[in-house]
Amino acid sequence: MGGRQLASKWLKTEALLTDPQIIPYIPETNAYGRDDLMSMLSQYDMVVIKPVVGTGGNGVIRIQNHDEGYNVSHKGRTRFVSSFPELIPILSSIKLKRKYLIQQGVNLAKIKGRPLDYRVKVVKTKGRWEFRAMVGRLARPGLFVTNLCKGGMLLRCRPAIRYSLPHINSLEKRNEMRQLTRNCIAVLEKRFPGIGELGFDYGLDDTGAIWILEVNTRPS
């Protein structure tokens, strides 16, 4: 069990970006900086700022474009700022003294207004990778992070897809998620020999497209 652990989200994203089959599933990701933030907010309705090293949804900040300004959400609270220059000091006051990255926001499919993502856990035993879990995680009402330690709720994978995206074939989508997982394992194992356990967090957007939100080498 276990094996090599790799805390940096940046290194794992960089590795996955080397595979042309996986690239379409990766939201645009940049190191946190004023210029990149400005450019990404001009391209996307929403961006998410998260620590380069960190788990459990801690420290995650969501920024949404809103009419004449931005909505900043953190720990279940949302505040409005009317201009980009006002945004920076607010982010500085929330962010701890660690490195962050900015990720293109994904408008996750929802069940009764609550966003949903998926955790796929794989473990290497006797030289073979096995799927140990494939579940939907439904956010607690009022939160945008789905982590169980923040009150999220577990659902079985296919019913979660069916309830949130009734027009999508849940079996095909689950199989696509499994194939994507296998492709990612092959890339990550080649780049980081010795890993023995991986947790993939996937999001499905309103159209049913799969996005890789995060990869953990020590999944909880």
Side-chain angles (χ1 to χ4, degrees), residues 13 31 74 115 127 129 141 143 170 191 195 205 210:
T13 301
H74 177 248
W129 285 93
L143 288 187
S170 63
R191 177 65 73 93
I195 52 175
D205 67 19
I210 300 175

Side-chain angles (χ1 to χ4, degrees), residues 82-99:
S82 56
S83 70
F84 187 81
E86 277 180 69
L87 188 56
I88 300 301
I90 282 183
L91 292 177
S92 300
S93 70
I94 296 174
K95 282 164 56 263
L96 301 171
K97 299 278 184 283
R98 45 184 173 166
K99 287 185 174 165

